[in-house]
Amino acid sequence: MSWGGNIMEVFDKFLLNLYHIIKEYPIYYFGIISLFFVLMLYSLLKEKYNKGFTIKKIKFLLRKKPEKALQKLIKSDLDIIDYFLNKDNLNSSEYIKVKEYLLKVDQVKAIYNKIINLDDNDEQVITGISILSRLPVPQAADYLITFLYKDDPEIVNLAIKALSNNTTEKVLYSLIEFLRYIPDSKILLSLKETFKNMGVKAAKKLIPFIYEADSTTIIWYLDILGEYQIEELHQILLNLLDSDDPEIKIHVIQKLSKYELEDDELNRIITLVDDENQKVRSRAIKTLGNIKILKAAPHIAKRLTDDSGIVRIAATQALLNMGYEGIKYIFEVAKRPDAPKEITKTLKDQDIAFLIEALEHVYKGDQKQIQTINTKLTS
């Protein structure tokens, strides 16, 4: 017989014996079960009322013997400390006394020690991190940083959010350093949002680290820095246009579109219309179309017959964005028997009044040319 079979045989015998016991002594069995539930209920009620009693006692002492009340508070569980750190639970003078006391070095340390002596899966850890986040002193921030390296993603995310209101250099550089160790994409996203919420001061701290970062991290930095127009970043973006990584190029083109670009800078983006990577070509074309760089129209027109469908679509839309100066190139390709379907479909989707006006403007009343395109679009 297998090991699993032996286990099942033992379990069957146990159930059979339990059945005979219940049948023989039902009163004892149900008495034991009832006692068990009574003890559980008693334990829960005791915990609840003990907490309520402690809170009432500390509140009473705050009015009569504040020092004694505060000493009792710091020896209490974290959920009780959390209660007294909520200004809605106290009057203003009581709250000020509690807050000033908890901001002291020894008390912050005592709270931290309570947290680290708990199991990571204990809900009190979350309460403790919340408490530290409401103590605006450097020591509390130092302790919060240690929770970034916990195995539990929930604790790590809470620590990141708790640090988001603290933009001291130590916290910022600690978060940047932590970036190198993040194994979880959700945590990475949380950290990105935290940096964005911290504002331009935090974003600027990332700039010195761009050149030494790997491709994934550079893109992460750019997503944050791209929220702002930072002069120091402008030149870095131009330098990164020479990157061998297509994803970096794509992100750089997107971010550069927010700046006032010189002619030579626009020319560099125009050259990327011919990049070997289809996503880079598409991104360069979309950007030039969005900001209506008319001198790019002839270069974009060449991509109306690109091997890639996404590039052909991007080129068609970009030229449409440029008005008559761009649409004339679309008409010329649309006349061909082998015109890509993306072009004819896009033209068919346009407002008929706009098309008639555009045809008249481009071909100056040349009915033969206009009829050729009309035939193509109605076929």
Side-chain angles (χ1 to χ4, degrees):
M1 187 180 290
S2 68
W3 180 81
N6 288 334
I7 291 293
M8 290 305 299
E9 185 179 343
V10 171
F11 186 64
D12 288 343
K13 287 181 179 179
F14 168 76
L15 291 177
L16 185 61
N17 290 333
L18 182 61
Y19 168 76
H20 287 306
I21 291 171
I22 295 171
K23 188 176 180 181
E24 190 76 22
Y25 309 105
I27 295 175
Y28 293 107
Y29 172 76
F30 288 108
I32 291 170
I33 294 295
S34 300
L35 180 62
F36 172 74
F37 282 111
V38 167
L39 289 173
M40 279 187 64
L41 182 61
Y42 171 76
S43 176
L44 290 171
L45 289 172
K46 182 182 177 184
E47 182 180 342
K48 178 180 178 181
Y49 286 107
N50 271 354
K51 177 183 174 182
F53 177 76
T54 302
I55 288 172
K56 286 181 180 178
K57 187 170 183 179
I58 294 173
K59 278 190 168 184
F60 174 78
L61 289 172
L62 270 174
R63 293 189 291 270
K64 303 293 183 180
K65 298 178 180 179
E67 284 300 319
K68 190 172 181 180
L70 295 172
Q71 288 170 11
K72 185 170 182 61
L73 174 61
I74 200 62
K75 292 176 182 177
S76 302
D77 291 339
L78 289 167
D79 56 349
I80 292 177
I81 296 174
D82 182 60
Y83 175 91
F84 280 91
L85 202 52
N86 185 339
K87 63 175 64 177
D88 294 335
N89 296 328
L90 304 170
N91 64 44
S92 57
S93 62
E94 290 171 343
Y95 177 75
I96 291 169
K97 284 178 187 175
V98 170
K99 188 73 176 278
E100 287 179 348
Y101 178 74
L102 293 177
L103 288 173
K104 293 178 181 178
V105 171
D106 289 344
Q107 314 323 325
V108 178
K109 184 177 181 181
I111 292 167
Y112 176 67
N113 287 335
K114 286 177 186 287
I115 302 170
I116 61 174
N117 286 326
L118 296 167
D119 292 331
D120 283 353
N121 58 358
D122 195 316
E123 289 185 6
Q124 291 280 305
V125 173
I126 296 171
T127 303
I129 292 174
S130 173
I131 292 170
L132 289 176
S133 71
R134 285 174 280 159
L135 299 177
V137 290
Q139 187 185 8
D142 290 345
Y143 290 144
L144 283 170
I145 288 167
T146 66
F147 292 104
L148 295 175
Y149 297 91
K150 289 288 186 179
D151 294 330
D152 187 336
E154 184 181 5
I155 291 176
V156 175
N157 273 320
L158 282 170
I160 291 171
K161 289 176 183 175
L163 290 165
S164 65
N165 294 324
N166 192 321
T167 56
T168 63
E169 290 208 354
K170 182 171 184 180
V171 167
L172 292 174
Y173 286 127
S174 294
L175 290 174
I176 293 170
E177 178 66 21
F178 171 62
L179 178 62
R180 302 180 186 184
Y181 300 93
I182 299 177
D184 189 296
S185 59
K186 290 182 180 178
I187 293 175
L188 193 63
L189 181 61
S190 176
L191 186 57
K192 182 189 290 184
E193 292 307 310
T194 295
F195 263 98
K196 287 181 179 180
N197 293 337
M198 283 177 161
V200 67
K201 176 186 174 183
K204 283 185 175 182
K205 297 295 181 187
L206 298 171
I207 291 175
F209 298 92
I210 288 180
Y211 288 122
E212 63 184 47
D214 58 45
S215 295
T216 302
T217 308
I218 288 174
I219 292 169
W220 191 90
Y221 287 158
L222 292 179
D223 281 342
I224 296 169
L225 289 161
E227 296 289 308
Y228 314 97
Q229 281 194 343
I230 304 172
E231 192 53 42
E232 305 98 287
L233 179 64
H234 187 172
Q235 186 56 50
I236 292 173
L237 289 172
L238 292 170
N239 294 341
L240 288 173
L241 274 178
D242 296 326
S243 171
D244 294 329
D245 189 311
E247 290 300 323
I248 290 178
K249 284 182 182 177
I250 291 167
H251 278 74
V252 167
I253 295 167
Q254 285 177 309
K255 306 311 176 190
L256 276 173
S257 66
K258 295 183 178 182
Y259 289 83
E260 190 81 28
L261 299 174
E262 301 290 337
D263 272 355
D264 60 325
E265 295 169 353
L266 287 169
N267 290 339
R268 293 185 64 186
I269 296 177
I270 291 172
T271 62
L272 293 176
V273 169
D274 298 322
D275 193 88
E276 63 183 18
N277 183 280
Q278 64 176 10
K279 291 182 180 179
V280 174
R281 295 199 299 276
S282 176
R283 182 69 263 172
I285 289 167
K286 286 178 182 177
T287 297
L288 292 165
N290 288 340
I291 57 180
K292 297 179 174 59
I293 304 303
L294 298 184
K295 70 175 182 176
H299 303 273
I300 294 173
K302 294 176 184 177
R303 293 297 157 194
L304 289 171
T305 54
D306 194 276
D307 292 337
S308 166
I310 66 167
V311 175
R312 294 195 296 271
I313 292 170
T316 306
Q317 190 57 55
L319 290 169
L320 276 173
N321 289 347
M322 293 179 183
Y324 298 140
E325 189 62 32
I327 202 170
K328 68 182 182 183
Y329 294 102
I330 300 176
F331 287 155
E332 286 302 301
V333 175
K335 289 189 297 183
R336 300 179 193 172
D338 60 344
K341 60 182 180 181
E342 291 86 1
I343 292 179
T344 53
K345 182 181 183 306
T346 301
L347 287 176
K348 285 178 181 180
D349 290 341
Q350 303 307 306
D351 179 71
I352 189 66
F354 165 73
L355 283 179
I356 292 171
E357 183 182 335
L359 285 167
E360 289 292 339
H361 186 278
V362 170
Y363 292 111
K364 311 295 184 186
D366 186 335
Q367 293 303 313
K368 184 178 179 182
Q369 299 276 23
I370 293 172
Q371 187 58 42
T372 301
I373 295 174
N374 279 333
T375 303
K376 187 70 181 286
L377 294 179
T378 54
S379 62

